[in-house]
Amino acid sequence: MWDQKWVIGNWKMNGQLQYNNALVHKLRTLEVQDKVCIGITPPTVYLSQVHNAVQIVINNPIHTCAQDVSRFGGSGAYTGEVSAEMLKDVGVDIVLIGHSERSLYFNEKNDVQRHKIENVLKVGLTPLLCVGESLKEREDGREKEAVAYQLSVFKGLKTKHFAVAYEPVWAIGTGKVATTEQIVDMHAFIYHEILSLVGEGAKIRVLYGGSVNAANAAEIFSVPHVDGALVGGASLTYDSFTAIIKAAQQA
Ligand code: PEP
């Protein structure tokens, strides 16, 4: 996993029982992609369905991922919440933390993200922290400052494994992709920041996210320090998602 390219599909608030089943079952026909760590991130209500369905994907193991987790651990009187323990119980491996849509619509900040990361690590799952600057921050030349602040949630964690998705907010769902120069510059910066926060010996994956599709994936995967992709819209159909997986395999 930590030496593979990751291709993680984030379904966001999309999917239905029948559609999910058809998509996951079709993935059975995909030939072996041994250089790729594949993940599917359905809405929480479909986690068990997806996890059960991926068990029968023979060629390529597929990780079940969650879009979010509660900042509260265990169980208790937190109506509407789903804990890290519950995600583990239904077969989740990787948990997205701090997707920009969580900050945008739910006002989620660093302190909440830190609690979530700690809860996820405590039960042995892998957090995938999403970071990225807004358009305004990029225009003002403050993109690294913004990303460094978001990465500071890692400080002092007792883990050597760090997974980050760099998703410039202006590139998510817009069809605008960061340039090769912008990606390499920010990914190198993220590597540098993590190493300076946690010290040498860390295992790091830095994924790019933001309008990745079948047509641009190969170019994105050829950029230095790009260890994979977090894919939104293009993960919802078999052809585009598998084209991205194949591009990662060939990178
Ligand atoms: C995302 O949701 O993380 C994302 C990158 O979306 P899209 O690929 O649709 O831009």
Side-chain angles (χ1 to χ4, degrees), residues 34-47:
D34 58 349
K35 297 190 177 125
V36 189
C37 166
I38 304 170
I40 294 179
T41 318
T44 310
V45 286
Y46 299 125
L47 281 170

Side-chain angles (χ1 to χ4, degrees), residues 68-216:
D68 191 26
V69 62
S70 178
R71 71 189 160 103
F72 301 106
S75 51
Y78 303 109
T79 303
E81 292 292 273
V82 175
S83 69
E85 285 82 352
M86 292 167 182
L87 295 180
K88 185 179 179 151
D89 197 29
V90 298
V92 165
D93 300 311
I94 296 169
V95 184
L96 303 193
I97 305 286
H99 191 282
S100 61
E101 287 152 14
R102 300 291 320 160
S103 334
L104 185 63
Y105 303 118
F106 304 95
N107 204 25
E108 199 175 283
K109 302 265 180 348
N110 275 28
D111 55 338
V112 169
Q113 290 168 14
R114 171 67 181 220
H115 283 302
K116 292 182 174 187
I117 292 173
E118 283 175 357
N119 291 346
V120 166
L121 288 173
K122 197 170 151 201
V123 298
L125 305 184
T126 301
L128 171 55
L129 177 69
C130 303
V131 299
E133 77 284 0
S134 66
L135 185 58
K136 175 90 174 65
E137 286 164 334
R138 163 104 15 212
E139 284 171 351
D140 292 349
R142 290 187 295 112
E143 65 275 9
K144 287 193 177 136
E145 190 190 317
V147 168
Y149 175 67
Q150 293 163 350
L151 289 171
S152 67
V153 298
F154 282 154
K155 199 169 178 195
L157 286 176
K158 286 188 180 35
T159 177
K160 282 283 175 198
H161 294 86
F162 295 89
V164 171
Y166 168 55
E167 302 204 297
V169 177
W170 46 270
I172 297 179
T174 57
K176 281 188 203 151
V177 182
T179 64
T180 300
E181 292 71 30
Q182 288 169 332
I183 297 175
V184 73
D185 187 41
M186 189 59 89
H187 280 229
F189 176 73
I190 291 171
Y191 261 88
H192 177 268
E193 278 295 298
I194 296 175
L195 289 173
S196 65
L197 281 172
V198 306
E200 293 298 321
K203 292 268 187 200
I204 300 172
R205 294 286 85 185
V206 183
L207 282 54
Y208 172 77
S211 299
V212 177
N213 59 38
N216 61 25

Side-chain angles (χ1 to χ4, degrees), residues 50-63:
V50 165
H51 181 65
N52 292 337
V54 297
Q55 300 301 305
I56 55 167
V57 177
I58 302 141
N59 287 345
N60 298 290
I62 297 178
H63 296 277

